[in-house]
Amino acid sequence: FLLGVSGTSVEKNITLDSPAKVELSCSLASKYPHLKIVQVAWKKGNETIKHINKTENSWSIQLTVTDENELGSYSCTLKGEEEFKAVFHLQGKFLPKIEGKEKPIISYEGDTVVMICKSSNYTPITWTWYLTNGSEQIAINDSLLSDKYVIDRVPANTTHLKILKLTKKDDGAYWCEAVFKLGKSKGKLKLKVLTFLVPLKPFLAILAEVIILVAIVFLYEVYSKKKEKHA
């Protein structure tokens, strides 16, 4: 950061895609060549951290960002005749590519369905699947419920959730969570479970109309014959 406005705080967002070494630096603008800085403070949140002085009017810190604990807000404050402050926001950005998330997955009772999540650019450390129960997300443990769920995590950047013997209770939203060194990301998939009567409904409706029509024709024929006999 090049600091040049006294009494104000400037901010900058820094997004990391993977673990990295980062150097954050605060420097005074050239219009303050003779300004004497008597106090320099670097902080992560409210915790003071040490800094290194590279040049006469530049103060830096060096970070090795290996996991999400090193992410957060870092600030430098320069105090002298005037005060300057800058804030750096370090954040991780991971967006797994979720296949088929745009449309619900539709299947029938008794069938087996497979849902897929994939991280397109980075390999997660772990994957976890959740099902939605009201407002809660419950982790799916396939080792305890092996007759219902099978989770495949090979290759490492892809995960498959297989749900066996579908029932109407399996209808709803499912989440896959990818855990990276610098954060977590979730993807949502929806499952719609239908009964076998659903595709039969149009046929049953047509059949009912045909039966009603045949009954009307039959009754008309009976009525006509009775009328002729009476005549």
Side-chain angles (χ1 to χ4, degrees), residues 26-181:
C26 287
S27 304
L28 281 177
S30 58
K31 67 179 182 178
Y32 298 101
H34 305 297
L35 184 63
K36 185 178 180 181
I37 299 297
V38 295
Q39 183 181 355
V40 179
W42 276 92
K43 291 184 176 183
K44 180 189 177 185
N46 295 320
E47 179 187 354
T48 301
I49 54 179
K50 293 182 179 180
H51 67 274
I52 58 173
N53 190 350
K54 288 182 62 179
T55 64
E56 184 178 357
N57 286 318
S58 181
W59 296 264
S60 305
I61 58 171
Q62 292 179 339
L63 308 171
T64 301
V65 183
T66 57
D67 59 45
E68 60 182 327
N69 293 325
E70 277 92 37
L71 299 176
S73 296
Y74 293 80
S75 64
C76 68
T77 303
L78 312 180
K79 292 182 180 180
E81 298 172 13
E82 301 180 56
E83 181 175 311
F84 306 85
K85 184 177 181 180
V87 181
F88 302 84
H89 300 288
L90 286 187
Q91 56 193 7
K93 184 178 181 181
F94 301 97
L95 298 174
K97 181 182 177 182
I98 308 304
E99 298 182 7
K101 68 175 182 179
E102 293 84 5
K103 296 180 180 179
I105 300 169
I106 300 175
S107 192
Y108 294 92
E109 288 184 317
D111 284 353
T112 295
V113 71
V114 177
M115 290 185 280
I116 301 172
C117 283
K118 182 178 180 182
S119 172
S120 56
N121 297 320
Y122 304 98
T123 301
I125 300 170
T126 60
W127 286 99
T128 304
W129 282 92
Y130 298 87
L131 60 85
T132 303
N133 185 4
S135 59
E136 284 187 273
Q137 289 181 6
I138 302 172
I140 297 173
N141 190 329
D142 58 327
S143 60
L144 294 178
L145 299 169
S146 57
D147 60 335
K148 185 65 178 178
Y149 303 106
V150 178
I151 298 177
D152 184 10
R153 302 173 179 86
V154 178
N157 69 329
T158 304
T159 179
H160 299 74
L161 173 64
K162 182 186 289 185
I163 306 177
L164 311 172
K165 303 173 186 176
L166 289 175
T167 68
K168 286 295 290 181
K169 291 182 180 180
D170 298 317
D171 195 290
Y174 291 79
W175 297 82
C176 60
E177 180 181 74
V179 179
F180 301 89
K181 288 184 177 181

